[in-house]
Amino acid sequence: MGSLASEYRAKVNSAGKDVPEEYQRAEASLWEYNKLINPKFFKESRQHLRILAEVLQAVWEHRIIKRNTDKEWQIVTAEERAGLDKAGTEYRVCRCLAIDIPPRHGKSYSLSQFCDWVFGKNQEEKIIAVTYNEILAGRFSVNVRDGIEATKADKRFTVFNDIFPDVHIKYGDSAKQMWSLEGQFFSYLGTGFGGTITGVGGSIAIIDDPIKTHLEAFNDAFLDAQYQWYTDTFLSRMEEDAIQILNFTRWNSRDLIGRVLSDEDGGDWYVLKMKACLDEQTKEMLCPELFSFTSYLKKKAKMSLAIFMANYQQEPVDLVNSLYKDFKEYDDLPRDDEGNLLLEEIKSYCDTADQGDDFLCNIIYGVYHMEAYVLDIIYTDEDMSVTEGDVADALYRFRVAWADIESNNGGVGFARSVERILREKYGSNYTHIEPFFQGANKQARIRSNATWVQEHIYFPRNWKNKWNAYYMAMKTFQAKGNNAHDDAPDATTGICEKIGQESDNWLY
């Protein structure tokens, strides 16, 4: 990535003039740039700001990578990446960054500084920045623009042009929310969420805190509209290999960050997550200068606990009170030393849709040593005329030996149809279909068996992408209060009960 500043340094040095070392460091490092521009705010004692700056620089420089052997993204140095290239090592580059940091900790300011520094490094970048509304979009845009245009009035202070002397806003093209650098047709557009961004394309796309109140955070229509605008409009304006940056205070697992992390491309994202309080016992805070432990306790005492945890501890409200806190995952099924599968039997459990808006949930699982390894899930609100064939197909493909199907509310007819399809379409009677009546209290069953579900049911590592609707239904199921749907936890609990019936020593 070219830099006019680098060319300028070469000219100055060739003329026998010394360039201050701090300017050279600021050109090379976003953190050094931040410290030089505003040393009172960007202090070494505020290490979370340094981490944020280093991650922003790393994603821009394509230094967040994942090799074929890596499970998580790794931040490497430029030298390390060059070494991988020289060795011919294959790796993926991360271009999607989610920032999940408490309010009033400098994340939006850091982003505006990042924009300035990036323009200093490469004037061909095109940034689209989206904020909550047009007013905030204007403020963010002005902060970036004014940072570049800042006039040096006191030699004790450093401004942008000290470090990047040949970068300027194009004369006559410095509107509040859309402007260009000299020599460029378009450099920056700021708009409110849902606004118009047609006619331009971005190499860096930023969304900064599009939710402001808990009323919006729990309004499904509002969240759906934001996600639709993101997929239909925002993503369509991104150039090939563009960088995405989502900067959020989390509220709800169904917010934009929650959705992009749980969809099929969720693994493309690097998540920088920081909590305001690192340890209540030791009173250790992320940045006591910006948010002290005393202030933390005062806000905790005054605010709704769920909303407080979402804002300051980065725990979305519906996850704070979720029944299931964690799930076991597997990379491979149990095998012997020779690679042979050790599953003792393959079974399934089906909770048919009781009501018109309910979901059918069919889970196929292998059993080994009284543990369940999930192999396939059908979770859908499609009509039974569709799901009968889907379930029969799954039972045949996975060679399910025993299929338990709840017979409540039409389940008997569903079971008979599945059995008929297996016989007529596949010529198979391999699967034993067992319809049964489930008379126990559903909520009591789900809650009393939650611990077993978390400790003894294993899901494949990519299950959140493979069966996203099911994953979200499990992750957001509330321990107390009403839930819109309980079909996923109900069927999962059924696995627990069926395995338990096979052992006299099994304990709930």
Side-chain angles (χ1 to χ4, degrees), residues 326-330 453-460 463:
D326 199 14
F327 295 95
K328 295 288 183 66
E329 296 180 346
Y330 67 85
V453 166
Q454 294 173 93
E455 292 182 354
H456 300 288
I457 296 181
Y458 293 76
F459 296 90
W463 70 296

Side-chain angles (χ1 to χ4, degrees), residues 150-357:
T151 301
K152 192 178 184 73
D154 189 326
K155 64 180 182 180
R156 294 174 299 172
F157 299 105
T158 304
V159 296
F160 175 88
N161 279 132
D162 288 329
I163 302 161
F164 303 107
D166 290 344
V167 182
H168 305 282
I169 303 293
K170 183 190 294 185
Y171 180 76
D173 189 12
S174 59
K176 187 174 183 180
Q177 289 179 225
M178 185 171 179
W179 43 265
S180 304
L181 297 176
E182 287 183 351
Q184 305 300 318
F185 173 72
F186 158 72
S187 296
Y188 184 97
L189 169 66
T191 187
F193 213 98
T196 302
I197 54 175
T198 55
V200 298
S203 59
I204 299 175
I206 298 171
I207 295 180
D208 183 45
D209 259 348
I211 296 175
K212 290 300 177 187
T213 72
H214 68 281
L215 297 177
E216 295 170 344
F218 299 106
N219 184 325
D220 283 346
F222 180 85
L223 297 179
D224 289 343
Q226 282 202 339
Y227 185 68
Q228 184 174 354
W229 184 84
Y230 167 79
T231 56
D232 295 351
T233 301
F234 184 76
L235 292 182
S236 70
R237 307 318 304 171
M238 293 175 57
E239 297 179 347
E240 187 70 19
D241 293 333
I243 293 170
Q244 282 191 72
I245 301 174
L246 300 187
N247 180 39
F248 268 62
T249 293
R250 296 300 307 279
W251 292 85
N252 186 327
S253 62
R254 295 187 69 252
D255 63 19
L256 187 54
I257 280 188
R259 293 195 188 193
V260 300
L261 294 182
S262 63
D263 68 18
E264 62 181 3
D265 297 322
D268 293 342
W269 289 81
Y270 181 91
V271 181
L272 178 61
K273 178 178 178 178
M274 301 182 188
K275 298 183 177 184
C277 181
L278 306 179
D279 190 328
E280 284 199 5
Q281 297 298 318
T282 62
K283 303 179 182 180
E284 182 182 3
M285 300 297 291
L286 177 64
C287 183
E289 296 175 36
L290 295 176
F291 192 51
S292 68
F293 186 68
T294 300
S295 297
Y296 171 86
L297 292 179
K298 287 181 179 178
K299 286 193 177 291
K300 188 176 182 180
K302 293 180 179 179
M303 296 175 65
S304 157
L305 181 60
I307 293 176
F308 172 84
M309 292 297 290
N311 274 258
Y312 292 97
Q313 294 301 88
Q314 312 314 302
E315 294 291 345
V317 173
D318 53 350
L319 297 186
V320 172
N321 297 316
S322 61
L323 178 64
Y324 304 109
K325 302 303 181 185
D326 199 14
F327 295 95
K328 295 288 183 66
E329 296 180 346
Y330 67 85
D331 291 309
D332 194 9
L333 295 167
R335 298 178 185 273
D336 62 22
D337 293 340
E338 296 178 355
N340 301 308
L341 279 176
L342 294 174
L343 296 179
E344 296 152 5
E345 58 182 337
I346 296 178
K347 305 181 68 175
S348 74
Y349 189 102
C350 184
D351 174 20
T352 58
D354 296 334
Q355 307 294 331
D357 60 348

Side-chain angles (χ1 to χ4, degrees), residues 77 97 111 114 179 202 225 244 255 272 276 302 394 397 405 417 438 492:
T77 64
L97 171 63
L111 271 178
F114 167 73
W179 43 265
Q244 282 191 72
D255 63 19
L272 178 61
K302 293 180 179 179
R397 283 187 294 110
I405 299 178
S417 294
Q438 177 57 265
T492 311

Side-chain angles (χ1 to χ4, degrees), residues 63-76 84 90-94 266-269:
R63 292 189 292 102
I64 302 180
I65 68 168
K66 186 184 289 185
R67 288 157 291 205
N68 293 338
T69 56
D70 294 335
K71 293 182 179 178
E72 305 292 338
W73 292 106
Q74 310 291 329
I75 296 179
V76 298
L84 294 174
E90 293 186 1
Y91 59 85
R92 292 168 54 204
V93 173
C94 178
D268 293 342
W269 289 81

